[in-house]
Amino acid sequence: METDKPAEGSAPAAPGTVPAAPDDSTKPAAAGDSAEAATGSVPTLGDVLLAAEELWPEALAEGWDAVGLVAGRPSRPVERILFAVDPTTEVIDEALEWGADLLLTHHPLFLKPVHSVAGTGFKGDVVHRLIEGGCALLTVHTNGDSAVGGVSDVLADAFGLGNVEPLVRAEDGLPEEGIGRVGDLPEATTLADFAKLVFSIMPAVAGGVRVAGDPHGLVRRVAVCGGAGDSLFDAVRRHHADVYVTADLRHHPASEAREAAVNGRPYLIDVSHFGSEWLWLTPAANALENVLNDQGFTAEIRISGTNTDPWDFVLTPGLN
């Protein structure tokens, strides 16, 4: 598997380039390149789907979500798999130029029902280009959030949390499965220092990291949710978290959370939606490669080099 990594915690990555990756000590080792992978037969798409179901069961997806196979024939061989956060036009370009047989994305192409996939619009064009290029599309979204080793587990590991449990347990899953995670730092630290840790681990994007709370306030119990998590404040408070790290915090939920805070807590750290989920791609690719290898299959797996964070630059007071 291949990734290119600029320095962590650096200036925002230029549009279309790989964002900064987490420090190697805070993420699992990358899967071996294809030349080093165990020799095995080429899996079919159906074989990859079974491996994906083992790792990220579709039953763990939220009821409103749209996960699973979007395009592709299960009987087709899959020699190359590209992981990405979003199925954008630029990511499709990358997949087809590399010759990927499967594009696995975290975000769905179709979250709402559609009545046409005509090539006159962006999403229809994506479907046609993938089919014409022989590349399947698989979505692993909230099932990838909830499963063991999912998006929020990766964040919890990156921040060094212990005694980790779900913020909201999955109804039909294991006790350790569910949306979000909460756990404890090895020792208390200030909100400012913890925010610096978060910033150093997050990919470099234009929006940076926003923080609400007393910089000198002590934090130890940390709640995390990759992606948009402002619907989970009740669970965050129920778990007595000192700080909550998530993305896409809107004005009203964030303001109300601060008004309802007890002794200022939970403090809030708002990160990039894309960045919080991009961290999952490498561990997820490792996991898929390991399952395929265990089943006697070999596929070349690569992490997308495309930054699909939608923002290009930001203006802040004193820096304009």
Side-chain angles (χ1 to χ4, degrees):
M1 181 166 48
E2 306 169 11
T3 58
D4 297 317
K5 303 183 294 182
E8 62 176 50
S10 58
T17 62
V18 166
D23 182 85
D24 289 340
S25 64
T26 62
K27 67 179 180 64
D33 290 340
S34 60
E36 300 173 354
T39 301
S41 59
V42 174
T44 64
L45 176 58
D47 294 322
V48 178
L49 293 177
L50 289 175
E53 178 65 17
E54 179 178 329
L55 292 167
W56 314 293
E58 291 190 17
L60 291 177
E62 298 294 295
W64 50 263
D65 202 3
V67 303
L69 188 64
V70 179
R73 293 185 185 276
S75 60
R76 295 266 306 197
V78 173
E79 296 183 3
R80 290 182 168 185
I81 303 171
L82 183 69
F83 274 71
V85 175
D86 299 286
T88 63
T89 298
E90 194 170 359
V91 168
I92 303 306
D93 290 341
E94 181 184 3
L96 297 180
E97 288 171 6
W98 182 50
D101 303 297
L102 170 63
L103 172 62
L104 190 157
T105 64
H106 184 56
H107 289 150
L109 177 64
F110 298 112
L111 189 54
K112 297 180 181 179
V114 299
H115 302 287
S116 170
V117 290
T120 53
F122 150 64
K123 295 188 176 185
D125 184 63
V126 163
V127 172
H128 283 276
R129 293 185 62 208
L130 287 170
I131 293 174
E132 292 161 1
C135 182
L137 175 61
L138 174 64
T139 298
V140 176
H141 194 209
T142 52
N143 49 328
D145 292 324
S146 186
V148 174
V151 172
S152 293
D153 269 334
V154 171
L155 289 175
D157 288 345
F159 300 153
L161 303 185
N163 305 314
V164 175
E165 59 181 309
L167 268 176
V168 179
R169 296 188 187 278
E171 291 185 5
D172 300 317
L174 300 172
E176 59 268 35
E177 293 176 325
I179 298 298
R181 296 292 186 269
V182 60
D184 301 312
L185 294 168
E187 58 185 32
T189 186
T190 66
L191 175 62
D193 284 342
F194 180 68
K196 290 176 183 177
L197 171 66
V198 172
F199 176 75
S200 73
I201 290 170
M202 286 293 110
V205 295
V209 171
R210 300 188 299 176
V211 185
D214 177 6
H216 305 292
L218 294 180
V219 299
R220 184 163 191 183
R221 191 150 180 80
V222 180
V224 301
C225 180
D230 63 16
S231 65
L232 301 179
F233 278 122
D234 286 342
V236 172
R237 286 186 283 265
R238 188 167 60 248
H239 285 279
H240 305 291
D242 297 312
V243 60
Y244 182 32
V245 183
T246 189
D248 289 352
L249 285 177
R250 295 169 294 168
H251 174 86
H252 293 295
S255 178
E256 291 172 3
R258 297 198 69 180
E259 290 293 315
V262 177
N263 296 324
R265 294 172 175 81
Y267 301 132
L268 306 178
I269 298 182
D270 186 32
V271 300
S272 158
H273 188 130
F274 159 79
S276 69
E277 296 172 330
W278 184 84
L279 296 175
W280 171 77
L281 297 182
T282 294
N286 288 333
L288 181 62
E289 184 174 61
N290 289 337
V291 171
L292 290 174
N293 287 346
D294 287 345
Q295 296 174 351
F297 298 117
T298 297
E300 185 177 0
I301 301 178
R302 176 182 290 187
I303 304 301
S304 171
T306 302
N307 179 351
T308 55
D309 186 89
W311 305 108
D312 295 323
F313 63 92
V314 63
L315 304 179
T316 59
L319 298 178
N320 300 343

